[in-house]
Amino acid sequence: MTFGGWIEIFLVLALVVGAAWPLGAFIAKVFDGQRSFLSPIAGPLERVFYRLSGVDPRKEQSWLCYALSMVVFSAVCFLTLYALQRFQNVLPFNPDGRDAIAPDLAFNTAISFITNANWQAYAGETTMSHFTQMAGLTTNNFLDTAIAMALALGLTRGLTRSETDTIGNFWVDMTRATLYVLLPFSILLALIFISLGIPQTLHGSFAATTLEGARQTIAIGPVASQEAIKLLGTNGGGFFDANSAHPFENPNAWSNLLECWSQLVLPVAFVFAFGRMVGDAREGRSLLTVMAFIFLISLTILYRAEANGNPLLTALGVESSAGNLEGKDVRFGQASAALFAVATTGTGTGAANATFDSMTPIGGLSPLFNLLLGCIAPGGVGTGLISILLLAVLTVFLAGLMVGRTPEYLGKKIEAREIKFVMLSLLLTPVLMLGFAAIAANLKISLDSLGNAGPHGFTEILYAYASTASDNGSAFAGLSANTPWFNTTTGIVMLLGRIASVIPIMAIAGSLAKKKKARPSAGTFPTHGLLFISLLLGVALIVTLLQFFPVVTLGPLAEHVLMEAGRTF
Amino acid sequence: MSTKAATPGLFDPAIIRRAAIDAFGKLDPRKLARNPVIFVTEMVSVVVTLLFIRDVVTQNGVASFSGQIAAWLWFTVLFANFAEAVAEGRGKAQADALRKTRSDAHAKRLIDPNNRSGMQDVIEGVSALDLRLGDIVLVEAGDLVPGDGEIIEGVASVNESAITGESAPVIREAGGDRSAVTGGTTVLSDWIKVKITAAPGSTFIDRMIALVEGAERQKTPNELALSILLSGLTIIFLIVCVTLWPLARYSGTMLSVTVLIALLVCLIPTTIGGLLSAIGIAGMDRLIRFNVIATSGRAVEAAGDVDTLLLDKTGTITFGNRMADEFIPVGNVAEHALAEAVMLASLADETPEGRSIVALAKSRYGLAAPADDADARIVPFSAHTRISGVDLPGRSLRKGAVDSILAQSSVPKDHLPEDFKRAIERISRTGGTPLAVSENGFLLGLVHLKDIVKPDIKDRFAALRAMGIKTVMVTGDNPLTAAAIASEAGVDDFIAQATPEDKLTYIRKEQQGGRLIAMCGDGTNDAPALAQADVGVAMQTGTQAAREAGNMVDLDSDPTKLIEIVAIGKQLLMTRGSLTTFSIANDVAKYFAIIPALFVVTYPELEAINIMKLASPQSAILSAVIFNALIIIALIPLALKGVAYRPVGAAALLRRNLLIYGLGGILVPFVGIKLIDLAVSALHLA
């Protein structure tokens, strides 16, 4: 670890918080239906959309209607995206003549892009046509982020409203998320990316002769436009296979800083917006402090482990002052790789500028643990807020009883119905992740995909299902994921990870919206301040640890103690 | 029920013996299914027992280990059952006592209640069990009241100790707010005619029996939510343990089912799962011992959530009666002379006001009653003159309402002394009542009668405020008087000149603002407000309507108790929360005991995370299971007594409980498991 490295890290984080604060105010305003500086342009567009689709923006929906709208919309997106891939060979903007995508890969990719997971079992530049990348993948990057924002809004309204049956209108929330937040800021970011050297063209690949005289095919395309929403929307699905490690996706130090910044800014802004929407900025700040704490612990562990390097190589006399550089881009260095890795797994992005598979066991544990926590540092746009709110409800219920009152969160009593749905959504990750990992760890067809034996191979399987169950989509790498087995199972896991949690989450929103809002008093459990922050942090860590301590022991922890003892596989 | 006389202790040997036997009866899986955590524990105990039998038969060398695990798993289930049985035991003992007062009574039923014949009532003897709603019965001195009812004629003194434990008789009479009688109580003198208002089997005593016995016990809302959480955790840990077998297989570790089950039972929240119902029963029991009957556990929980207390001024905030507070002489009358005069005038006055005047004169002025009062002629108080006093030789001492004294005094109405007028004004302004005193028609001065606020009440309200509870005084006084008393007592708000409708409106308004309200009441006109309040405590002495409208009945009819009821409710919820936190925090240490033990054969390097340095894998697992079982027994006293409650704010309470049960919950098992492991390896058990 170097002083300069930490300066770089804190500079980015300061810029994130500095921008997220006003952005949060803006988001709160937009979803409250107030006028903002974008209203003159986005307002008319918004009304056109409502008129064309026959949506009455004043008509609100019940929680079930809201959730079902989301499910139906996702289903339509899935079918369209699946069809686009299957027929891309006959569709336009296919300069390199890419073939139709195989059914299992198309299924996996379609689900991956409607769930904001952006798990990529394909190499974009050699598989997808420009049309699929633009109309399919990039478009869905906007839509699935807008969906996630809408869901978070629905849940927030459940907390702010009282004695009502409605939690807003899904179509309105989604439209506003796209028109007022995602589109304008993505356009701005894409233009900056272009100025930094990221390509944006409809041209196909061209051939080049290298200095050594070898022939090389250089793939280009509409990269910048996809790059912007990939990061802003915490999607993570890159244009190229190498993702942000590719020079056309991440050409220099400035673009790298901007990429770290842009995947953190909206999730953080959303938490600030939450504080404003519930009428108490302290509530938002408390949640954010917990997120920041997890982020910094995770970052410190990873940075330290990687900067110290691999003791086995050091023992062999390899120069170790630069730390473990395997799988990292020397243009960016240790600090930036650590920051990117934690930002991408702490959020729902799942992009990469380094390979986790090449990290030390403890270095690799850090991103894995972020996924197991459910990506809450600070989480995906909207989904991070939802996840931490569920944990907050659980915390309030567990500890709130200790003050001798029926637990309340923001004045809403937490009772049997809420706990039922919180537990249902909490159950989902262990069922999907441990369940599928348990099968995959014993099947030849999946074991054949492993790049390594021993505990490291175990971690590769674990990571694949942790990444898809939490809809993060980052890859540990080292695993050949484009097989019918992995395409099908990770597809199912991503789908259930998103859709199956929507019903319980929206049910909580509906149930909370119906309740009266209790007035806070000195007898109320305070949900801001140091005590609550440490409690929420403790609950998040202990609940995660209790579920996953055994598998973490079998994977990274075993690998670590074995490495220390000099045993390799 | 002799709750006051012979309350069985928490661990009365008779109750313990009965509970130990009941613990086995509760092994019936149909009964245990109500408690998912312990039900799962029982099911896996059966599995490990079968495995133990297999190990014995096949002689594979692990029979000693699986046998011990099986035994401790069964102990876990039994300990949980025992906790519940102990909690129920006290209720059962009380129910038995109550049953004796019931049903064997004979009733004297009037054959012709309307008495159309105009002759003496005709009576038939029937069993109390044959009484129907609306029957009229005659109850005479020495009779047991055969059922709950309303007195329609007569007045009698009744011994209600069967219900209240209070042996002093109370007066019950037709009409008004004291017309209800309860089955099982005894008429001591006179006679009453009672109209039966509850069918046999649903009388007050029947309901009390059901409540103390816990027969009708249903899970309260919060208990239900907690059960769902515990079931959810159980399912999660089931998944963790079931998937661990194939996941470990990948690494070449073949885990035995016994070991996986041991891990499962250590992880699922057996501690709180085993104690949950005991905590609930004990909470109700604390209330009953406090002589308050809650008609449902829901009401007890609601008491913990109360934000606003509606308290009647009289009897709760102030002593029931006005008392003399100072003597104010007028003109050049000496204060001491006034005191002496008014004391003499009050010597025969047995009203509380009269007695308070004598008491004040004695305490503040050191006066003593004259030994010889043979010449005294008492002038008793009459509603007509509103004056009382005494005639001594040469002295005619009078005290009474200011107007009445002035009317018969020599002072002209429009020439009242200035200091006299000022004093009256001052007394009225502070909510007091002035009493004028004269001697031979000459005005001596005033007695300031005031509502005396109970001495400790201000501190209690301050404590309530710290807990976040608002107190509201309800009084029939005018706003001026009410404000004076309110500020003296330190309540947050008051309702002056309150009508029953005012109370109802106030409650609705507070509830609209998201607050929970508790109140006391006894009159029929209190019934709507009692029903509307979230916690309505009816006085046992109150009317039937009031008792039915409330969700609690205070057998001592002491409105001050509302404050303790809130504390009991809070304590119940706190106990649940603290033990849940403790139970879950325990899992961390158990993981550190068991996980290295599971995998150390495959990866010997994992010995590094065996931070407790437990002797062997088998002893580590066994120690964790033993700790898991013993902690239930160790926590039974806490579950039954409840965690210590202090009237401080939520943040302070949380900090304290988090430190004890959260941090303690993480640390205690590390120590406990290590100690058990030392014992296990010393005894060569594993």
Side-chain angles (χ1 to χ4, degrees), chain A residues 185-201:
Chain A
F185 290 100
S186 292
I187 292 171
L188 195 66
L189 190 63
L191 290 173
I192 301 175
F193 277 145
I194 291 170
S195 76
L196 288 170
I198 297 182
Q200 177 74 7
T201 170

PDB file of all heavy atoms in Angstrom, chain A residues 185-201:
ATOM      1  N   PHE A 185     -27.537  12.003 -18.040  1.00  0.00           N
ATOM      2  CA  PHE A 185     -26.200  11.845 -17.467  1.00  0.00           C
ATOM      3  C   PHE A 185     -25.349  10.862 -18.274  1.00  0.00           C
ATOM      4  O   PHE A 185     -24.131  10.997 -18.328  1.00  0.00           O
ATOM      5  CB  PHE A 185     -26.296  11.441 -15.996  1.00  0.00           C
ATOM      6  CG  PHE A 185     -26.814  12.562 -15.126  1.00  0.00           C
ATOM      7  CD1 PHE A 185     -28.136  12.604 -14.727  1.00  0.00           C
ATOM      8  CD2 PHE A 185     -25.976  13.607 -14.766  1.00  0.00           C
ATOM      9  CE1 PHE A 185     -28.618  13.658 -13.964  1.00  0.00           C
ATOM     10  CE2 PHE A 185     -26.453  14.673 -13.997  1.00  0.00           C
ATOM     11  CZ  PHE A 185     -27.776  14.701 -13.595  1.00  0.00           C
ATOM     12  N   SER A 186     -25.999   9.878 -18.905  1.00  0.00           N
ATOM     13  CA  SER A 186     -25.244   8.933 -19.731  1.00  0.00           C
ATOM     14  C   SER A 186     -24.717   9.617 -20.981  1.00  0.00           C
ATOM     15  O   SER A 186     -23.590   9.358 -21.413  1.00  0.00           O
ATOM     16  CB  SER A 186     -26.129   7.764 -20.154  1.00  0.00           C
ATOM     17  OG  SER A 186     -26.448   6.990 -19.045  1.00  0.00           O
ATOM     18  N   ILE A 187     -25.544  10.476 -21.559  1.00  0.00           N
ATOM     19  CA  ILE A 187     -25.094  11.187 -22.758  1.00  0.00           C
ATOM     20  C   ILE A 187     -23.867  12.033 -22.415  1.00  0.00           C
ATOM     21  O   ILE A 187     -22.843  12.000 -23.111  1.00  0.00           O
ATOM     22  CB  ILE A 187     -26.238  12.070 -23.308  1.00  0.00           C
ATOM     23  CG1 ILE A 187     -27.352  11.170 -23.854  1.00  0.00           C
ATOM     24  CG2 ILE A 187     -25.718  13.020 -24.391  1.00  0.00           C
ATOM     25  CD1 ILE A 187     -28.618  11.898 -24.234  1.00  0.00           C
ATOM     26  N   LEU A 188     -23.961  12.734 -21.298  1.00  0.00           N
ATOM     27  CA  LEU A 188     -22.852  13.569 -20.850  1.00  0.00           C
ATOM     28  C   LEU A 188     -21.593  12.730 -20.642  1.00  0.00           C
ATOM     29  O   LEU A 188     -20.505  13.058 -21.133  1.00  0.00           O
ATOM     30  CB  LEU A 188     -23.270  14.240 -19.534  1.00  0.00           C
ATOM     31  CG  LEU A 188     -22.420  15.408 -19.079  1.00  0.00           C
ATOM     32  CD1 LEU A 188     -22.558  16.572 -20.047  1.00  0.00           C
ATOM     33  CD2 LEU A 188     -22.839  15.840 -17.678  1.00  0.00           C
ATOM     34  N   LEU A 189     -21.767  11.606 -19.938  1.00  0.00           N
ATOM     35  CA  LEU A 189     -20.622  10.747 -19.621  1.00  0.00           C
ATOM     36  C   LEU A 189     -20.031  10.141 -20.883  1.00  0.00           C
ATOM     37  O   LEU A 189     -18.807  10.067 -21.033  1.00  0.00           O
ATOM     38  CB  LEU A 189     -21.076   9.649 -18.648  1.00  0.00           C
ATOM     39  CG  LEU A 189     -19.968   8.821 -18.022  1.00  0.00           C
ATOM     40  CD1 LEU A 189     -19.055   9.676 -17.163  1.00  0.00           C
ATOM     41  CD2 LEU A 189     -20.572   7.707 -17.145  1.00  0.00           C
ATOM     42  N   ALA A 190     -20.917   9.741 -21.823  1.00  0.00           N
ATOM     43  CA  ALA A 190     -20.437   9.129 -23.058  1.00  0.00           C
ATOM     44  C   ALA A 190     -19.577  10.129 -23.833  1.00  0.00           C
ATOM     45  O   ALA A 190     -18.543   9.769 -24.394  1.00  0.00           O
ATOM     46  CB  ALA A 190     -21.617   8.664 -23.906  1.00  0.00           C
ATOM     47  N   LEU A 191     -20.008  11.398 -23.839  1.00  0.00           N
ATOM     48  CA  LEU A 191     -19.239  12.420 -24.557  1.00  0.00           C
ATOM     49  C   LEU A 191     -17.860  12.590 -23.923  1.00  0.00           C
ATOM     50  O   LEU A 191     -16.850  12.722 -24.625  1.00  0.00           O
ATOM     51  CB  LEU A 191     -19.995  13.752 -24.548  1.00  0.00           C
ATOM     52  CG  LEU A 191     -21.262  13.744 -25.416  1.00  0.00           C
ATOM     53  CD1 LEU A 191     -22.052  15.030 -25.243  1.00  0.00           C
ATOM     54  CD2 LEU A 191     -20.894  13.530 -26.885  1.00  0.00           C
ATOM     55  N   ILE A 192     -17.815  12.559 -22.591  1.00  0.00           N
ATOM     56  CA  ILE A 192     -16.511  12.670 -21.920  1.00  0.00           C
ATOM     57  C   ILE A 192     -15.650  11.463 -22.272  1.00  0.00           C
ATOM     58  O   ILE A 192     -14.468  11.589 -22.581  1.00  0.00           O
ATOM     59  CB  ILE A 192     -16.694  12.787 -20.399  1.00  0.00           C
ATOM     60  CG1 ILE A 192     -17.528  14.012 -20.067  1.00  0.00           C
ATOM     61  CG2 ILE A 192     -15.346  12.851 -19.693  1.00  0.00           C
ATOM     62  CD1 ILE A 192     -17.866  14.157 -18.603  1.00  0.00           C
ATOM     63  N   PHE A 193     -16.268  10.278 -22.256  1.00  0.00           N
ATOM     64  CA  PHE A 193     -15.525   9.058 -22.604  1.00  0.00           C
ATOM     65  C   PHE A 193     -14.951   9.159 -24.008  1.00  0.00           C
ATOM     66  O   PHE A 193     -13.811   8.778 -24.255  1.00  0.00           O
ATOM     67  CB  PHE A 193     -16.425   7.826 -22.489  1.00  0.00           C
ATOM     68  CG  PHE A 193     -16.532   7.303 -21.078  1.00  0.00           C
ATOM     69  CD1 PHE A 193     -17.723   6.751 -20.626  1.00  0.00           C
ATOM     70  CD2 PHE A 193     -15.459   7.353 -20.213  1.00  0.00           C
ATOM     71  CE1 PHE A 193     -17.840   6.261 -19.337  1.00  0.00           C
ATOM     72  CE2 PHE A 193     -15.563   6.865 -18.918  1.00  0.00           C
ATOM     73  CZ  PHE A 193     -16.755   6.325 -18.479  1.00  0.00           C
ATOM     74  N   ILE A 194     -15.767   9.661 -24.941  1.00  0.00           N
ATOM     75  CA  ILE A 194     -15.295   9.785 -26.317  1.00  0.00           C
ATOM     76  C   ILE A 194     -14.081  10.715 -26.358  1.00  0.00           C
ATOM     77  O   ILE A 194     -13.066  10.419 -26.988  1.00  0.00           O
ATOM     78  CB  ILE A 194     -16.423  10.315 -27.237  1.00  0.00           C
ATOM     79  CG1 ILE A 194     -17.507   9.247 -27.379  1.00  0.00           C
ATOM     80  CG2 ILE A 194     -15.864  10.692 -28.615  1.00  0.00           C
ATOM     81  CD1 ILE A 194     -18.765   9.734 -28.045  1.00  0.00           C
ATOM     82  N   SER A 195     -14.183  11.812 -25.601  1.00  0.00           N
ATOM     83  CA  SER A 195     -13.063  12.757 -25.597  1.00  0.00           C
ATOM     84  C   SER A 195     -11.817  12.138 -24.989  1.00  0.00           C
ATOM     85  O   SER A 195     -10.693  12.547 -25.273  1.00  0.00           O
ATOM     86  CB  SER A 195     -13.451  14.029 -24.844  1.00  0.00           C
ATOM     87  OG  SER A 195     -13.440  13.781 -23.458  1.00  0.00           O
ATOM     88  N   LEU A 196     -12.000  11.131 -24.126  1.00  0.00           N
ATOM     89  CA  LEU A 196     -10.841  10.468 -23.521  1.00  0.00           C
ATOM     90  C   LEU A 196     -10.296   9.358 -24.408  1.00  0.00           C
ATOM     91  O   LEU A 196      -9.321   8.706 -24.065  1.00  0.00           O
ATOM     92  CB  LEU A 196     -11.214   9.899 -22.151  1.00  0.00           C
ATOM     93  CG  LEU A 196     -11.420  10.929 -21.039  1.00  0.00           C
ATOM     94  CD1 LEU A 196     -12.014  10.277 -19.805  1.00  0.00           C
ATOM     95  CD2 LEU A 196     -10.107  11.623 -20.698  1.00  0.00           C
ATOM     96  N   GLY A 197     -10.976   9.096 -25.538  1.00  0.00           N
ATOM     97  CA  GLY A 197     -10.424   8.146 -26.494  1.00  0.00           C
ATOM     98  C   GLY A 197     -11.194   6.858 -26.652  1.00  0.00           C
ATOM     99  O   GLY A 197     -10.736   5.934 -27.322  1.00  0.00           O
ATOM    100  N   ILE A 198     -12.364   6.733 -26.051  1.00  0.00           N
ATOM    101  CA  ILE A 198     -13.144   5.516 -26.251  1.00  0.00           C
ATOM    102  C   ILE A 198     -13.879   5.623 -27.579  1.00  0.00           C
ATOM    103  O   ILE A 198     -14.482   6.657 -27.881  1.00  0.00           O
ATOM    104  CB  ILE A 198     -14.140   5.328 -25.079  1.00  0.00           C
ATOM    105  CG1 ILE A 198     -13.369   5.140 -23.768  1.00  0.00           C
ATOM    106  CG2 ILE A 198     -15.066   4.148 -25.344  1.00  0.00           C
ATOM    107  CD1 ILE A 198     -14.223   4.902 -22.562  1.00  0.00           C
ATOM    108  N   PRO A 199     -13.827   4.568 -28.411  1.00  0.00           N
ATOM    109  CA  PRO A 199     -14.449   4.657 -29.739  1.00  0.00           C
ATOM    110  C   PRO A 199     -15.975   4.712 -29.669  1.00  0.00           C
ATOM    111  O   PRO A 199     -16.587   4.195 -28.737  1.00  0.00           O
ATOM    112  CB  PRO A 199     -14.009   3.358 -30.434  1.00  0.00           C
ATOM    113  CG  PRO A 199     -13.113   2.646 -29.507  1.00  0.00           C
ATOM    114  CD  PRO A 199     -13.189   3.276 -28.174  1.00  0.00           C
ATOM    115  N   GLN A 200     -16.573   5.363 -30.666  1.00  0.00           N
ATOM    116  CA  GLN A 200     -18.026   5.381 -30.808  1.00  0.00           C
ATOM    117  C   GLN A 200     -18.276   5.428 -32.306  1.00  0.00           C
ATOM    118  O   GLN A 200     -18.211   6.483 -32.941  1.00  0.00           O
ATOM    119  CB  GLN A 200     -18.628   6.603 -30.105  1.00  0.00           C
ATOM    120  CG  GLN A 200     -20.135   6.743 -30.255  1.00  0.00           C
ATOM    121  CD  GLN A 200     -20.895   5.746 -29.402  1.00  0.00           C
ATOM    122  OE1 GLN A 200     -20.325   5.031 -28.592  1.00  0.00           O
ATOM    123  NE2 GLN A 200     -22.192   5.662 -29.617  1.00  0.00           N
ATOM    124  N   THR A 201     -18.537   4.267 -32.891  1.00  0.00           N
ATOM    125  CA  THR A 201     -18.668   4.203 -34.350  1.00  0.00           C
ATOM    126  C   THR A 201     -19.528   3.010 -34.723  1.00  0.00           C
ATOM    127  O   THR A 201     -19.710   2.094 -33.917  1.00  0.00           O
ATOM    128  CB  THR A 201     -17.278   4.048 -35.002  1.00  0.00           C
ATOM    129  OG1 THR A 201     -17.461   3.761 -36.380  1.00  0.00           O
ATOM    130  CG2 THR A 201     -16.476   2.913 -34.388  1.00  0.00           C
TER     131      THR A 201
END
